Amino acid sequence: QVQLVESGGGSVQAGGSLRLSCEVSGDTSGSYRDYYMGWARQAPGKEREGVAVINSFGGTRYADSVKGRFTISRDNAKNTLYLQMNNLKAEDTAMYFCAANCSYGYACLTDGNWGRWGQGTQVTVSS
């Protein structure tokens, strides 16, 4: 069974950087290399929101709140998705989730209709 396993979360001061990783395990067919993948986050007391989406060719979309600060990328040879987060702000504090397999392309950034989710990794930014 395919699993998405996030890592790289932690605590950092405002202005700092973190790099999240999401490994796709159990994908014996390699099909996930063709899927849209993305990152979403959920802060305490708030709804989950899309952060960034990437297609199989490397095309990307970002939430306005992270444009210019976050970069999503993927290494299909390693079955791994990344999220480089720079200039972190206190409002970036949230549980970050990796997601994959959405049929609606970049619309998945906002509608969150993903077929598979990871367990999440916590990011805490102190001001």
Side-chain angles (χ1 to χ4, degrees):
Q1 184 175 352
V2 174
Q3 289 187 313
L4 306 181
V5 181
E6 302 98 333
S7 62
S11 297
V12 65
Q13 290 193 329
S17 299
L18 283 173
R19 187 195 197 198
L20 306 183
S21 299
C22 171
E23 181 180 359
V24 181
S25 64
D27 180 29
T28 56
S29 67
S31 59
Y32 273 68
R33 299 175 182 180
D34 297 326
Y35 291 166
Y36 277 76
M37 295 190 71
W39 291 93
R41 66 187 181 185
Q42 187 167 20
K46 294 187 177 181
E47 292 186 354
R48 189 176 294 186
E49 64 171 351
V51 173
V53 171
I54 187 168
N55 66 20
S56 61
F57 299 105
T60 58
R61 291 290 187 275
Y62 297 91
D64 288 343
S65 59
V66 306
K67 279 181 182 176
R69 301 188 298 121
F70 290 11
T71 302
I72 188 172
S73 62
R74 65 194 298 170
D75 185 337
N76 285 338
K78 295 182 178 179
N79 287 338
T80 303
L81 177 73
Y82 302 99
L83 185 69
Q84 177 67 42
M85 305 184 295
N86 297 329
N87 191 21
L88 283 160
K89 304 176 181 180
E91 50 264 42
D92 294 319
T93 294
M95 184 73 77
Y96 282 72
F97 299 90
C98 172
N101 190 9
C102 177
S103 300
Y104 303 102
Y106 292 128
C108 301
L109 179 64
T110 52
D111 68 20
N113 192 17
W114 298 95
R116 194 166 297 275
W117 292 90
Q119 298 277 12
T121 185
Q122 178 68 37
V123 171
T124 302
V125 184
S126 58
S127 57

